[in-house]
């Protein structure tokens, strides 16, 4: 963890067969001990660390007796309520008719708050950057496993053979609060997407990712649990994510969310209908709560909103989510 926090990595293609030779020089006139590092970049340019394999398919078979428990490293504090920042919310835009414009997915007043938090488990949620140019949210669910929404994966770039995803835990203004170099690119993906033929259900909109860096070792991770429709109407749930084009520099946080309906499909997926405040960028963020002391469990990931004017949001959950995480933990250990 100390090593990751104290370095900043870049990836470049070098000309020839040998390594590039960087030059280091002091920045003249700058206050403090400020230096510039120049790295020769070959004709192929600088690159992100590319992904290796990405499987887009139907839900897998259930895994029996899987360990889906959370993990907290001893060095991290456990907070049941995170520390929030004062609001920097901008005044809403007023159109000519005098009404108020609000993001389409926000239902009523926006109840989200901004976090500045590295304690467990809040510091296990992070921002995802992709080769497609869009951004999403995700959470650590294993020593090397990231959970997000299926549509966050840049599937078109995967098909073209040139894709990457970068995960920054506890992201604030583009960098991790854990330290400048605490991040990881994704090496492998196994996931689904509502665009998959025969899979229009938002309950399928999930993906598990293998990280090059086992960030779950120093930072810990969430557990998962299938959502029980008997919990409908209970205001237990917490959602975190990284809404774009708004005032948030850190993660958004909203508690007291109720799931008011859960539609199951034939493939162990579950569409969880809720009225939490969601805008683009929140996709893939976890819906979770504490099931006892030190036991945070994710039951779904933010997926989409209703397209028929009902003003309701959907999160993807169900036993299939646990199947994915169990498979990833077994096949992508630390």
């Amino acid at each position: 963890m100390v090593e990751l926090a104290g370095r900043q990595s870049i990836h470049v293609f070098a000309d020839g067969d040998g390594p590039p030779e960087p030059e280091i020089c002091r920045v003249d006139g700058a206050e403090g001990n400020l230096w510039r590092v120049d790295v020769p970049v070959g004709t192929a340019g600088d690159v992100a660390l590319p992904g290796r394999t990405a499987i887009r398919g139907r839900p897998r078979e259930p895994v029996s007796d899987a360990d889906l428990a959370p993990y907290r490293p001893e060095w991290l504090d456990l907070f049941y309520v995170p520390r929030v920042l004062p609001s920097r919310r901008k005044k809403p835009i007023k159109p000519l008719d005098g009404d108020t414009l609000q993001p389409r997915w926000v239902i009523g007043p926006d109840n989200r708050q901004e976090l500045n938090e590295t304690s467990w488990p809040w510091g296990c949620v992070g921002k995802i950057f992709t080769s497609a140019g869009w951004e999403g949210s995700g959470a650590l669910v294993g020593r090397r496993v990231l959970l997000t929404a299926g549509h966050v994966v840049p599937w078109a770039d995967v098909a073209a053979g040139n894709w990457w995803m970068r995960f920054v835990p506890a992201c604030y203004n583009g960098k991790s609060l854990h330290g400048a170099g605490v991040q990881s690119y994704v090496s492998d993906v196994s996931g689904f997407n509502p665009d998959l033929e025969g899979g229009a259900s938002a309950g399928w909109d999930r993906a598990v990712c293998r990280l090059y860096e086992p960030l779950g070792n120093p930072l810990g991770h969430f557990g998962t649990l299938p959502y029980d429709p008997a919990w409908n109407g209970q205001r237990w749930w917490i959602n975190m994510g990284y809404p774009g084009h708004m005032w948030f520099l850190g993660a958004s946080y909203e508690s007291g969310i109720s799931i008011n309906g859960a539609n199951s499909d034939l493939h162990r997926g579950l569409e969880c209908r809720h009225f939490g405040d969601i805008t683009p960028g929140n996709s893939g963020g976890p819906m979770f709560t504490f099931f006892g002391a030190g036991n945070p469990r994710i039951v779904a990931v933010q997926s989409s909103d209703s397209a028929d004017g009902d003003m309701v949001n959907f999160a993807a959950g169900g036993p299939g989510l646990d199947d994915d995480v169990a498979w990833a933990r077994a096949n992508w250990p630390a």
Side-chain angles (χ1 to χ4, degrees), residues 23-28 30-38:
E23 296 181 359
I24 303 174
C25 61
R26 186 183 293 274
V27 178
D28 295 334
E31 295 184 2
N33 192 20
L34 183 63
W35 296 79
R36 188 183 75 229
V37 180
D38 296 324

Side-chain angles (χ1 to χ4, degrees), residues 104-124:
R104 185 162 60 96
W105 286 278
V106 175
I107 300 164
D110 193 337
N111 296 312
R112 290 173 294 182
Q113 295 175 283
E114 185 178 25
L115 293 191
N116 182 27
E117 187 61 84
T118 57
S119 67
W120 187 84
W122 317 99
C124 298

Side-chain angles (χ1 to χ4, degrees), residues 280-329:
N282 280 111
S283 292
M287 188 75 71
F288 67 97
T289 196
F290 289 90
F291 288 85
N295 191 20
R297 301 274 183 150
I298 297 173
V299 297
V301 294
Q302 175 56 33
S303 170
S304 57
D305 70 296
S306 174
D308 58 11
D310 286 346
M311 295 298 293
V312 64
N313 293 306
F314 290 90
L321 183 148
D322 293 72
D323 298 339
D324 297 341
V325 174
W327 179 90
R329 287 189 181 185

Side-chain angles (χ1 to χ4, degrees), residues 206-230:
R206 57 186 190 264
V208 285
C209 309
R210 181 188 183 275
L211 300 175
Y212 280 107
E213 297 284 351
L215 296 179
N217 284 329
L219 300 181
H221 58 74
F222 286 88
T224 62
L225 194 70
Y227 180 79
D228 187 341

Side-chain angles (χ1 to χ4, degrees), residues 1-323:
M1 180 67 183
V2 173
E3 182 182 355
L4 282 175
R7 72 175 189 228
Q8 187 76 45
S9 299
I10 62 171
H11 302 87
V12 300
F13 284 111
D15 288 335
D17 297 326
E21 296 183 1
E23 296 181 359
I24 303 174
C25 61
R26 186 183 293 274
V27 178
D28 295 334
E31 295 184 2
N33 192 20
L34 183 63
W35 296 79
R36 188 183 75 229
V37 180
D38 296 324
V39 180
V41 178
T43 54
D46 59 336
V47 295
L49 189 58
R52 301 183 304 192
T53 63
I55 302 170
R56 186 181 184 187
R58 297 184 180 279
R60 55 181 52 85
E61 295 297 321
V63 178
S64 60
D65 301 325
D67 178 15
L68 297 173
Y71 163 67
R72 178 174 75 91
E74 293 183 359
W75 74 278
L76 277 173
D77 292 329
L78 163 61
F79 283 11
Y80 289 97
V81 179
R83 293 164 286 197
V84 299
L85 295 173
S87 176
R88 293 179 289 101
R89 188 191 315 271
K90 297 179 181 179
K91 293 182 179 180
I93 298 171
K94 294 283 188 179
L96 293 176
D97 61 7
D99 200 355
T100 298
L101 298 182
Q102 294 286 358
R104 185 162 60 96
W105 286 278
V106 175
I107 300 164
D110 193 337
N111 296 312
R112 290 173 294 182
Q113 295 175 283
E114 185 178 25
L115 293 191
N116 182 27
E117 187 61 84
T118 57
S119 67
W120 187 84
W122 317 99
C124 298
V125 180
K127 190 170 185 176
I128 298 173
F129 302 83
T130 72
S131 55
W134 60 65
E135 300 167 355
S137 307
L140 293 169
V141 291
R143 305 295 180 109
R144 199 187 286 270
V145 182
L146 172 68
L147 176 65
T148 187
H151 74 265
V152 172
V153 180
W155 294 112
D157 291 352
V158 169
N162 184 20
W163 66 278
W164 57 264
M165 298 171 65
R166 179 166 62 96
F167 174 67
V168 182
C171 187
Y172 188 87
N173 202 20
K175 295 186 181 297
S176 176
L177 292 171
H178 295 296
V182 181
Q183 62 176 14
S184 179
Y185 283 92
V186 168
S187 64
D188 305 273
V189 171
S190 177
F192 315 101
N193 191 301
D195 293 334
L196 186 68
E197 182 181 355
S201 169
W204 284 24
D205 191 13
R206 57 186 190 264
V208 285
C209 309
R210 181 188 183 275
L211 300 175
Y212 280 107
E213 297 284 351
L215 296 179
N217 284 329
L219 300 181
H221 58 74
F222 286 88
T224 62
L225 194 70
Y227 180 79
D228 187 341
W231 300 332
N232 287 353
Q234 302 294 333
R235 301 180 66 87
W236 293 341
W237 307 105
I238 301 164
N239 181 254
M240 288 178 62
Y242 287 84
H245 307 296
M246 295 185 69
W247 55 274
F248 293 93
L249 294 177
S252 68
Y253 158 80
E254 184 180 4
S255 61
I257 299 172
S258 64
I259 293 176
N260 299 302
N263 303 323
S264 60
D265 62 24
L266 298 177
H267 303 284
R268 296 169 62 82
L270 203 66
E271 295 177 344
C272 299
R273 300 165 58 92
H274 69 89
F275 296 104
D277 296 321
I278 301 297
T279 39
N282 280 111
S283 292
M287 188 75 71
F288 67 97
T289 196
F290 289 90
F291 288 85
N295 191 20
R297 301 274 183 150
I298 297 173
V299 297
V301 294
Q302 175 56 33
S303 170
S304 57
D305 70 296
S306 174
D308 58 11
D310 286 346
M311 295 298 293
V312 64
N313 293 306
F314 290 90
L321 183 148
D322 293 72
D323 298 339

